[in-house]
Amino acid sequence: MDEQTKEMHFDALIIGAGFSGLYQLHRLRDHVGLNAAILEQGSGVGGTWYWNRYPGARCDSESQGYCYFFSKKLHQEWQWSERYPGHSEIRRYLNFVADRLNLRTEIFFGTKVCRCTFLTQQNVWHVETEKNKSFYAKWLITGVGCLSSTNVPNIKGLSSFEGNWYHTGQWPRGGVNFKGQRIGQIGTGSTGIQAAPVIAKECKHLTVFQRTANYSIPARNDSWDDDYTQWVRNHFKELKSLVQSTPSGHPFRISSNLTMEVSENERQSIFNDAWLKGGLRFRGVFSDLLTSSKANQQASEFIKSKIQRKISNPETAKILTEIDHPYAAKRPPIDTNYFETFNRDNVALVDLKADPISEIFAKGIRLRSGVEHELDKIVFATGFDAMTGPLIKLNVVGPNGNLKNYWRDGPINYLGLSIPGFPNLFTITGPGSPSVLSNMPVSIEQHVDWITKCIQYCTDKKIDLIEAGEDAAQDWTIHVRETANATLLPKVKHSWYLGANIPGKPRVFMPYAGGLVTYRQICNTIEKKGYSGFKLLKSTGATNIKKIDLQKLRSFALGI
Ligand code: N01
């Protein structure tokens, strides 16, 4: 869609053309009949997957669950090729959806939003773009994802580096040539664990700089044959009902067994079966892995012993398994030959716990001890300013001020969907919703459906403004923190779930850990009660927002 004029008016604007934005556009345009459009920074659809093209980038959710379920027709026409979809296949899928639903006509590509201001006189959002265009709409919906604001750590001397450096979350569209080169990779989270084995095969030498050792379960990726595709097509209804009835939104059930209630032999055999099946299913073999330290320790020890056996050098094995957190308290990676990669002659591991990076210099990375690693390229697999980062970056200004200020002590909102003082704004998979603790497309569909119904309701009832009430937001924010505190999830030093990976970011557990099924029920009840907890107004003018009791919220802040 071309921007012909400097100003454009819509009923609804959606930011981002990933899973969230595409489905939201379809629902608002084709079901509610609104004049809606997407503003997208990239030149194509894909969202997270438009930017994450690093070597080995692949989804950790299994293909039969990593898709839309709102349309049986779409489901029947699409065919995945592997157990886990790779980044380019996911882009192909989203392009297929955009084409089938004829969505491109309402997408402004190459349009980076730099400011969103609510105009109180007109009750509309004014959205400004980097290229000085202005868009106006009554409804503003963010579909910017949770992991789209990249984190390049502020390491002294980066600008003096003579080679090229890359962040995995903003990978060049044409790829990067590693052939014959010495590569340094910083970061061993889900991304680094996917990237290292692929980079190692391509480059002359790979040095992995590890600050915190990590668990990883073998993914055991495999290709799909036609019979399996047919099985998946034939079981659309069952798969849809399965992903919508599990707390994680994945296409597998979480066992109700408790870890310590089975015999040692049985426990080891259950862990072993899950290890052989591979993937995120491991997390679901017992119901208490994330609530009982004792249970978690059993899983952690099992995984560590499996990892140790993969690595030939005992010193390397030690560094890779000195893990300082409970299994899955950080987002658990899954891998294809990650630990085996350290058995290659062209791969070295640097333990940053023992010898941290002191600076980057013209030729590479220098450690505190003075040891230098000469490199041609550096790959930052250093994660994201997650969840709040992408929203704050939009520079959203409500009648009472900027979101950045409102969230300076951590996100405050209602259901992860709506923020006091920011009328007619909805945040798909916002902090305070299950989002990153779930299979994202399933959470996204639930949010989009809820938002669509809410907008339809307001349209039918001629409601001008809707926003989260302060009391409801405060109660929800406390509930999110209490729910996390009942698990092992906050018991981690550096976790992006807690914002602890970003210097100066408030340490607050951001996603909702109560599970997708419970969350869906809560959202549905609130809808049935006529949007209880929300302020629905037919008037104009600034809404006076009550001050949230930050002291009360802080008492729920998490520390270890
Ligand atoms: O980022 P991370 P990621 N010096 O924050 C290290 C999703 N994802 O991009 O642990 C040295 O997890 C940091 O060390 P530490 C998934 O949800 C999904 O890997 O903080 N090291 C860590 O090792 C995932 O969780 C898929 O001590 C530094 C790493 O960088 C999320 O994306 C696939 C450092 C960052 O790990 C983010 O994963 C891949 C520094 N200054 C990823 N700063 C799917 O399947 C940071 N680190 C959908």
Side-chain angles (χ1 to χ4, degrees):
M1 193 176 193
D2 286 331
E3 284 176 64
Q4 300 294 334
T5 56
K6 283 225 158 221
E7 279 191 11
M8 297 196 81
H9 295 257
F10 291 90
D11 298 322
L13 284 169
I14 300 150
I15 307 176
F19 270 95
S20 301
L22 294 179
Y23 182 42
Q24 186 67 79
L25 173 61
H26 170 58
R27 292 285 271 135
L28 290 179
R29 185 193 67 178
D30 302 332
H31 295 144
V32 186
L34 296 189
N35 177 17
I38 295 179
L39 307 180
E40 165 57 52
Q41 182 180 352
S43 62
V45 303
T48 296
W49 299 105
Y50 177 87
W51 305 101
N52 280 273
R53 299 165 188 246
Y54 59 86
R58 181 179 291 287
C59 186
D60 290 344
S61 296
E62 295 181 20
S63 300
Q64 73 274 23
Y66 199 74
C67 53
Y68 293 116
F69 282 95
F70 68 85
S71 160
K72 184 170 181 188
K73 190 161 176 282
L74 282 180
H75 192 265
Q76 301 296 300
E77 284 181 39
W78 182 254
Q79 175 163 9
W80 294 108
S81 66
E82 293 174 274
R83 177 173 174 187
Y84 305 95
H87 65 97
S88 53
E89 189 163 38
I90 301 172
R91 279 195 300 282
R92 277 202 299 283
Y93 172 69
L94 290 174
N95 274 289
F96 151 81
V97 172
D99 289 336
R100 284 289 185 282
L101 302 177
N102 192 24
L103 297 176
R104 279 177 216 285
T105 46
E106 270 76 48
I107 306 177
F108 293 86
F109 290 109
T111 302
K112 184 175 177 182
V113 170
C114 60
R115 193 175 172 87
C116 308
T117 313
F118 188 76
L119 306 179
T120 46
Q121 297 304 311
Q122 300 99 315
N123 281 344
V124 294
W125 282 97
H126 174 205
V127 179
E128 294 165 84
T129 74
E130 212 175 41
K131 292 179 187 157
N132 288 325
K133 303 269 174 174
S134 280
F135 293 81
Y136 297 87
K138 174 172 180 177
W139 305 104
L140 181 63
I141 299 130
T142 62
V144 290
C146 300
L147 297 162
S148 54
S149 180
T150 51
N151 166 41
V152 178
N154 187 13
I155 300 175
K156 190 175 127 198
L158 178 58
S159 58
S160 68
F161 183 57
E162 286 173 357
N164 290 329
W165 62 266
Y166 310 88
H167 188 284
T168 48
Q170 284 193 321
W171 204 254
R173 289 185 70 191
V176 176
N177 185 3
F178 292 117
K179 212 165 166 210
Q181 308 215 317
R182 297 160 303 171
I183 310 302
Q185 176 188 305
I186 304 177
T188 53
S190 297
T191 301
I193 280 176
Q194 286 186 332
V198 185
I199 297 176
K201 275 193 203 154
E202 280 176 43
C203 70
K204 183 173 163 201
H205 190 269
L206 171 68
T207 309
V208 176
F209 295 86
Q210 173 192 281
R211 186 165 70 183
T212 307
N214 218 336
Y215 302 94
S216 181
I217 306 290
R220 307 205 191 279
N221 191 23
D222 207 351
S223 50
W224 275 23
D225 58 20
D226 289 346
D227 285 352
Y228 191 59
T229 297
Q230 203 45 55
W231 184 90
V232 168
R233 285 182 180 158
N234 293 345
H235 290 80
F236 169 76
K237 216 171 130 200
E238 291 84 351
L239 282 167
K240 179 174 178 172
S241 134
L242 178 60
V243 294
Q244 292 185 351
S245 61
T246 60
S248 64
H250 284 287
F252 52 82
R253 299 229 171 264
I254 313 283
S255 164
S256 54
N257 289 341
L258 295 173
T259 312
M260 304 313 289
E261 275 185 4
V262 299
S263 70
E264 172 67 15
N265 277 350
E266 203 181 333
R267 190 160 49 242
Q268 293 306 316
S269 150
I270 289 172
F271 283 145
N272 207 44
D273 281 352
W275 180 264
L276 293 175
K277 278 196 189 106
L280 293 175
R281 288 166 187 258
F282 193 96
R283 234 181 352 182
V285 291
F286 291 108
S287 64
D288 55 350
L289 290 185
L290 268 175
T291 49
S292 152
S293 297
K294 202 169 173 194
N296 192 287
Q297 204 182 351
Q298 299 289 320
S300 302
E301 291 308 323
F302 173 88
I303 300 168
K304 282 190 222 170
S305 75
K306 285 286 190 188
I307 295 172
Q308 272 154 359
R309 272 177 253 165
K310 291 179 179 217
I311 308 156
S312 22
N313 180 321
E315 181 55 23
T316 308
K318 186 165 170 270
I319 298 168
L320 286 167
T321 52
E322 272 178 349
I323 307 177
D324 65 0
H325 54 274
Y327 165 66
K330 279 180 157 188
R331 158 70 154 74
I334 64 173
D335 71 280
T336 301
N337 296 330
Y338 174 65
F339 297 105
E340 293 84 343
T341 294
F342 294 93
N343 297 335
R344 294 174 67 103
D345 291 339
N346 71 333
V347 176
L349 176 67
V350 172
D351 179 9
L352 296 181
K353 277 242 160 75
D355 195 359
I357 294 175
S358 104
E359 62 180 329
I360 295 177
F361 67 109
K363 301 284 176 209
I365 292 179
R366 186 175 291 123
L367 305 180
R368 193 180 286 170
S369 63
V371 170
E372 292 182 350
H373 293 271
E374 293 209 354
L375 302 165
D376 301 307
K377 288 183 172 134
I378 299 175
V379 172
F380 287 94
T382 44
F384 301 87
D385 178 0
M387 308 204 74
T388 49
L391 294 168
I392 286 172
K393 255 188 160 173
L394 293 174
N395 208 358
V396 188
V397 184
N400 302 289
N402 197 306
L403 182 63
K404 186 178 178 181
N405 294 333
Y406 190 55
W407 279 3
R408 68 180 172 274
D409 291 314
I412 299 167
N413 65 16
Y414 188 30
L415 303 175
L417 276 164
S418 173
I419 310 162
F422 295 84
N424 296 353
L425 169 74
F426 294 105
T427 51
I428 303 175
T429 64
S433 72
S435 62
V436 292
L437 296 179
S438 71
N439 181 26
M440 286 300 267
V442 180
S443 278
I444 286 167
E445 275 195 7
Q446 185 263 334
H447 261 189
V448 169
D449 289 340
W450 192 94
I451 291 167
T452 306
K453 277 190 184 173
C454 179
I455 290 179
Q456 179 78 68
Y457 177 90
C458 292
T459 308
D460 294 346
K461 303 257 178 212
K462 304 212 173 349
I463 286 162
D464 293 319
L465 300 167
I466 181 166
E467 69 180 68
E470 298 80 6
D471 290 342
Q474 177 161 313
D475 290 350
W476 181 255
T477 305
I478 289 170
H479 175 59
V480 169
R481 295 180 192 186
E482 282 176 330
T483 307
N485 280 347
T487 72
L488 304 175
L489 287 161
K491 302 208 179 316
V492 177
K493 200 167 167 198
H494 291 115
S495 154
W496 60 261
Y497 288 158
L498 284 157
N501 60 330
I502 303 295
K505 191 166 173 172
R507 188 184 167 87
V508 167
F509 192 85
M510 294 182 285
Y512 177 58
L516 200 44
V517 176
T518 306
Y519 177 79
R520 187 190 295 272
Q521 280 163 1
I522 294 170
C523 290
N524 289 347
T525 305
I526 286 165
E527 178 216 321
K528 282 200 186 85
K529 287 186 179 166
Y531 298 95
S532 52
F534 283 85
K535 289 198 273 189
L536 292 85
L537 301 169
K538 293 193 177 184
S539 61
T540 55
T543 53
N544 254 335
I545 67 162
K546 202 169 104 185
K547 221 167 154 29
I548 297 267
D549 182 353
L550 288 174
Q551 215 40 50
K552 192 168 173 194
L553 283 186
R554 276 193 204 105
S555 66
F556 285 88
L558 306 155
I560 56 168

